[in-house]
Amino acid sequence: MQAKGAYPSFTSRLAFIIAAAGSAVGLGNVWGFTYVAGQNGGGGFVLIYLLALAFVAGPAFMAEMLIGRMGKASPPTALAKLQASTGSRLRWPSVGWIGLIGTLMVLSFYAVIAGQAMYYGLIALEGGFGGWSESAVTKLDADFKANPWAMALWSAAFMAFTAAIVSFDIRTGIERAGKVMMPLLFIMLIGLVAYSGHTGDMGAAVNFLFGFHEINFSSRLFLEAVGQAFFTLGVGVGGLMTYGSYMGDDVRLPRATFWIVAMDLFVALAAGLAIFPLVFASGVEPTAGPGLVFLTLPIIFAEVPGGAFVAFIFFLLLTFAAVTSSISLLSPTVQRLAEARVSRPVAACLMAGAAVMLSLLTVYSFAGGRGVYPLAAFGLNGMTAFDLIREGVSNFILPLSGLAYCLIIGWALKREVVRAALPMAEGRLFTLWYGVVRFIAPLAITALFIGAVVG
Ligand code: TRP
């Protein structure tokens, strides 16, 4: 426990790194990365994704955490403080407010997918999947999606779990959840990779993920790769800004950034190496899309030895990964409400409730509204409410907020001020990062949007 009334903080450097890694490692690494890589042809996509991590999303990730540490408040308030220190007349807090809206948008579909993972975990625990026929698995997914109430209830259960953790103070809730779940997640993941290597076709998986196949370079591919890089690091909605505000000045940010990005990448690749060997060994297509994890994999779990147990471990892993991310998504709004003297439990319940209400849009998109395209009249035909929310947040809000963070750190604040906020960073490393944040990342994001509009 911390002294009452003090601004919250993590107990140690490691606690911060675990929390931030927990935020980064999530459904995006397992569910998102494997299906986006699968749909975009593997190797070539992975390469662009790596470049996007190193030169765009990674540097912006560090910028966001730094803004939080400098501002020591919720995102809108932290940005207002920094703005006041410069005398700029632009409205910096609006970037923070858009981020708060973004957290709810991400949570709205995150909760539905995490809810399905919890449901599948329960089925596996009851011995399900073992020996099931393909049609039984397909029916399970179809029945779940045909039942909006079940989807909404599981989403609500997941958000209740999230809210319960966030209700506690930082050290007892968020910090402890990461310290318990993250090591377990790593152990389960390594176990799954070993199992897949033993049972599946590891060679085909490695070739698929790292080999070069035909790459179809298009502005769309770049946008997806950059969007995925931002999403997987969780940059752009203020979650990291909020965690950054809880970190001590002794955290060496460049080093912490390196380790968190490395862990995140490791989990994405390991998830690929856990999933694709089974996919290839069973001869199903790797391009199944969002259904890969809930449709393709369970069919495989039904066939492999010990499938029900493996399935349980897999869905438990997915749930843990999702929870340590969703607590970071609930934190910014809860911190903002705390500034308005709303207690953490009340704030957490309110915002989790809001996320559940919004999640009904995704539930509807998966259930009755599969062919309903709300913005078809605006040229966005073929996109359900879920598609619009997911792509709107990953491909627009995240990169644009990331751009704003880079411009704030790289241009709006004075170089000496930024340098002084990173006293322990080695000179050359600082210069490199600063140059990327000033020039490379903003130019890359701008080029991306021009490309998306023109191409
Ligand atoms: N990074 C998480 C994942 O890969 C999701 C996540 C956490 C996120 N915080 C975020 C996504 C902020 C966007 C913005 O699953």
Side-chain angles (χ1 to χ4, degrees):
M1 281 290 271
Q2 259 191 305
K4 231 182 143 51
Y7 191 77
S9 65
F10 290 113
T11 49
S12 64
R13 286 194 262 191
L14 185 65
F16 166 76
I17 291 177
I18 292 176
S23 158
V25 171
L27 294 175
N29 300 60
V30 184
W31 167 77
F33 176 76
T34 46
Y35 100 69
V36 179
Q39 277 187 330
N40 289 290
F45 173 83
V46 175
L47 181 72
I48 299 174
Y49 170 70
L50 289 180
L51 291 173
L53 275 182
F55 292 106
V56 188
F61 172 80
M62 183 165 138
E64 180 176 341
M65 295 187 294
L66 184 62
I67 293 173
R69 182 161 77 182
M70 294 170 89
K72 288 259 183 302
S74 74
T77 313
L79 287 161
K81 283 196 207 169
L82 291 192
Q83 178 189 353
S85 77
T86 63
S88 158
R89 292 173 54 195
L90 294 171
R91 296 177 185 213
W92 299 15
S94 42
V95 177
W97 288 110
I98 292 170
L100 296 192
I101 296 169
T103 60
L104 288 177
M105 288 172 70
V106 176
L107 279 172
S108 77
F109 64 87
Y110 217 74
V112 178
I113 294 152
Q116 191 172 7
M118 282 168 74
Y119 173 58
Y120 275 44
L122 185 74
I123 290 178
L125 189 64
E126 291 170 339
F129 302 123
W132 282 25
S133 67
E134 188 173 326
S135 60
V137 175
T138 317
K139 185 169 181 312
L140 178 71
D141 183 68
D143 285 350
F144 186 66
K145 302 236 162 104
N147 186 349
W149 291 112
M151 267 193 284
L153 274 176
W154 280 103
S155 313
F158 175 77
M159 286 313 302
F161 188 14
T162 304
I165 297 172
V166 177
S167 291
F168 290 98
D169 68 72
I170 308 307
R171 295 178 177 190
T172 343
I174 293 171
E175 181 170 325
R176 198 165 302 165
K179 282 182 175 166
V180 172
M181 289 187 213
M182 291 303 284
L184 284 174
L185 190 146
F186 273 84
I187 295 169
M188 289 191 284
L189 186 61
I190 291 168
L192 283 180
V193 174
Y195 173 85
S196 277
H198 186 73
T199 317
D201 187 347
M202 188 58 91
V206 169
N207 180 37
F208 176 69
L209 282 175
F210 305 111
F212 283 91
H213 316 276
E214 237 174 280
I215 320 179
N216 205 344
F217 285 106
S218 62
S219 54
R220 170 94 200 150
L221 181 73
F222 278 94
L223 196 61
E224 282 284 332
V226 172
Q228 175 65 18
F230 273 96
F231 189 90
T232 191
L233 290 183
V235 183
V237 296
L240 294 160
M241 208 181 280
T242 308
Y243 279 9
S245 76
Y246 304 149
M247 87 170 117
D249 290 330
D250 60 340
V251 174
R252 294 168 171 253
L253 258 187
R255 206 181 288 197
T257 301
F258 174 84
W259 282 112
I260 298 164
V261 174
M263 266 190 264
D264 186 68
L265 188 60
F266 172 83
V267 174
L269 296 177
L273 293 180
I275 292 174
F276 287 120
L278 298 178
V279 169
F280 285 111
S282 70
V284 294
E285 285 300 313
T287 48
L292 186 67
V293 160
F294 293 113
L295 217 48
T296 312
L297 272 189
I299 292 176
I300 300 168
F301 288 146
E303 294 163 3
V304 296
F309 179 69
V310 180
F312 174 66
I313 296 293
F314 179 80
F315 289 112
L316 187 64
L317 176 149
L318 211 53
T319 304
F320 279 8
V323 168
T324 55
S325 296
S326 63
I327 55 183
S328 83
L329 284 159
L330 208 51
S331 293
T333 45
V334 169
Q335 185 58 46
R336 181 63 190 82
L337 283 169
E339 287 166 5
R341 309 216 164 278
V342 180
S343 75
R344 289 186 69 85
V346 171
C349 288
L350 276 177
M351 296 326 293
V356 173
M357 296 306 281
L358 268 179
S359 78
L360 296 178
L361 289 171
T362 291
V363 166
Y364 176 69
S365 305
F366 288 171
R370 218 160 311 165
V372 179
Y373 308 130
L375 298 186
F378 299 93
L380 293 165
N381 201 6
M383 294 181 75
T384 61
F386 159 70
D387 295 324
L388 291 169
I389 294 174
R390 188 193 74 88
E391 292 202 20
V393 81
S394 329
N395 297 355
F396 292 94
I397 293 189
L398 303 186
L400 287 177
S401 302
L403 176 64
Y405 304 155
C406 288
L407 295 178
I408 286 174
I409 290 288
W411 296 91
L413 296 172
K414 289 211 175 62
R415 185 189 159 107
E416 306 87 74
V417 174
V418 178
R419 184 73 186 101
L422 291 165
M424 281 170 304
E426 197 204 312
R428 256 186 303 170
L429 200 64
F430 175 81
T431 310
L432 182 68
W433 167 76
Y434 193 68
V436 172
V437 162
R438 232 166 118 80
F439 299 106
I440 298 183
L443 284 174
I445 296 170
T446 310
L448 193 74
F449 280 106
I450 294 176
V453 172
V454 175

